[in-house]
Amino acid sequence: MVVKLNPNDLVCVQPWDCEGIEPPWGWFPDNPPPKRNEPVNLRKFKKVKITPGSTGIIIEYGHAGVDDYDEHYMIMVEGKAISVPVRFLHAVD
């Protein structure tokens, strides 16, 4: 079941378990990850680490995840506004 997240929803940021554990991360809006067809060495990209179990609030929907980037949301977490792939986000009841 896919849960659609909306602005002002509370979320918990957790590691993603798929063929190994991937720690949660995101990126600042002015430094998105390279697009799939863009050479990785074209520019520097820095992942922003997020403490597992952190709680954040959804600011806005980022991208549907078609072709260029993973589906993601802009969230406020740990005092930072960052984009985070949806695979790390879990709705808080």
Side-chain angles (χ1 to χ4, degrees):
M1 179 176 143
V2 175
V3 175
K4 178 76 171 153
L5 300 171
N6 297 300
N8 298 320
D9 284 355
L10 288 176
V11 291
C12 184
V13 183
Q14 294 291 343
W16 188 51
D17 186 0
C18 182
E19 299 179 10
I21 304 295
E22 181 181 10
W25 58 273
W27 63 89
F28 291 115
D30 61 348
N31 186 22
K35 294 182 178 181
R36 290 193 174 118
N37 61 355
E38 185 178 44
V40 176
N41 60 358
L42 184 62
R43 62 182 171 76
K44 294 208 178 223
F45 165 68
K46 183 177 178 186
K47 291 181 179 179
V48 178
K49 294 179 183 179
I50 304 169
T51 305
S54 297
T55 301
I57 188 166
I58 300 287
I59 297 172
E60 66 183 6
Y61 184 64
H63 190 274
V66 180
D67 297 328
D68 296 325
Y69 300 112
D70 290 339
E71 182 176 5
H72 62 273
Y73 286 84
M74 173 75 72
I75 70 169
M76 178 64 72
V77 64
E78 298 180 340
K80 301 175 272 202
I82 58 177
S83 292
V84 179
V86 71
R87 66 180 172 267
F88 299 120
L89 303 177
H90 302 272
V92 174
D93 294 333

